[in-house]
């Protein structure tokens, strides 16, 4: 039994030593991206991981005397504000951004989003079927903008 045990240990050690020797001369370069985003030329976006795709997002929805207000600026996140009187929410700074992040990720507006699509997605997110006033001003990273001002 001792001889069998000794052969097993020597065999296992040999496998470990030989497995550690590699014929590769250098480590792979993982800094070169092999996968790209097809619209990378549009600037930073949620798809490229560089942000939400916009530098400024101002939203105001009013209905039945209540309002929702979202104010986000990429350069001053500490000034962010989020008010939702339907859910009795009033947040500023990082707390506001945490609440906005969920909406931004679900609604996913980009510079190709139409006014109708933006209104529909945002109303759906907030569970609203209609509005009295809807104002949205978005400045995208590709220097395009979306401006909506509607009253019913």
């Amino acid at each position: 039994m001792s001889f069998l045990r000794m052969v097993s240990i020597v065999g296992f050690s040999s496998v470990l030593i030989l497995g550690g020797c590699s014929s590769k001369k250098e480590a792979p370069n993982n800094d070169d991206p092999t996968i790209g985003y097809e619209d990378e030329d549009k600037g930073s976006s949620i798809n490229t991981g560089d942000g939400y795709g916009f530098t400024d997002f101002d939203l105001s929805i009013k209905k039945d005397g209540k309002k929702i207000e979202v104010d986000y600026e990429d350069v001053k996140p500490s000034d962010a504000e989020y008010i939702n009187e339907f859910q009795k929410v009033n947040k500023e700074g990082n707390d506001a951004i945490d609440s906005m992040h969920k909406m931004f990720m679900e609604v996913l507006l980009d510079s190709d989003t139409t006014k109708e699509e933006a209104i529909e997605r945002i109303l759906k997110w907030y569970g609203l079927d209609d509005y009295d006033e809807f104002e949205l001003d978005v400045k995208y990273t590709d220097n395009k903008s979306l401006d909506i001002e509607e009253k019913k």
Side-chain angles (χ1 to χ4, degrees):
M1 201 63 154
S2 173
F3 176 73
L4 201 54
R5 185 182 229 175
M6 182 70 104
V7 170
S8 297
I9 292 173
V10 169
F12 184 70
S13 298
S14 299
V15 169
L16 288 177
I17 291 172
L18 291 176
C21 298
S22 176
S23 63
K24 292 184 179 180
K25 301 281 189 238
E26 52 186 77
N29 184 0
N30 292 329
D31 293 333
D32 282 341
T34 56
I35 299 175
Y37 175 64
E38 69 182 53
D39 292 329
E40 285 177 314
D41 59 329
K42 289 186 177 181
S44 63
S45 73
I46 194 68
N47 297 316
T48 60
D50 296 333
Y52 296 114
F54 48 80
T55 58
D56 190 25
F57 185 98
D58 291 314
L59 170 68
S60 177
I61 304 172
K62 295 179 182 174
K63 181 180 179 180
D64 300 331
K66 293 183 179 181
K67 68 181 177 180
I68 295 172
E69 290 188 359
V70 177
D71 184 18
Y72 170 85
E73 292 179 50
D74 194 30
V75 293
K76 296 181 184 176
S78 60
D79 292 344
E81 291 181 288
Y82 175 61
I83 298 169
N84 184 339
E85 292 180 351
F86 294 93
Q87 297 178 348
K88 297 182 175 131
V89 175
N90 188 349
K91 297 181 179 183
E92 295 180 356
N94 288 335
D95 289 337
I97 290 176
D98 289 344
S99 295
M100 291 177 203
H101 175 74
K102 297 171 191 169
M103 190 258 301
F104 293 158
M105 296 299 291
E106 183 72 25
V107 173
L108 289 176
L109 300 180
D110 62 27
S111 60
D112 294 328
T113 304
T114 65
K115 291 181 179 185
E116 295 78 18
E117 289 172 327
I119 292 171
E120 180 183 328
R121 291 177 192 175
I122 291 170
L123 290 179
K124 182 178 177 183
W125 170 258
Y126 287 110
L128 299 173
D129 56 353
D130 202 11
Y131 56 88
D132 297 327
E133 291 181 33
F134 188 101
E135 295 180 15
L136 177 64
D137 181 27
V138 182
K139 290 182 180 43
Y140 296 103
T141 56
D142 62 1
N143 295 322
K144 293 182 181 178
S145 64
L146 176 64
D147 295 310
I148 303 172
E149 288 186 35
E150 291 196 11
K151 294 182 181 183
K152 290 189 173 184

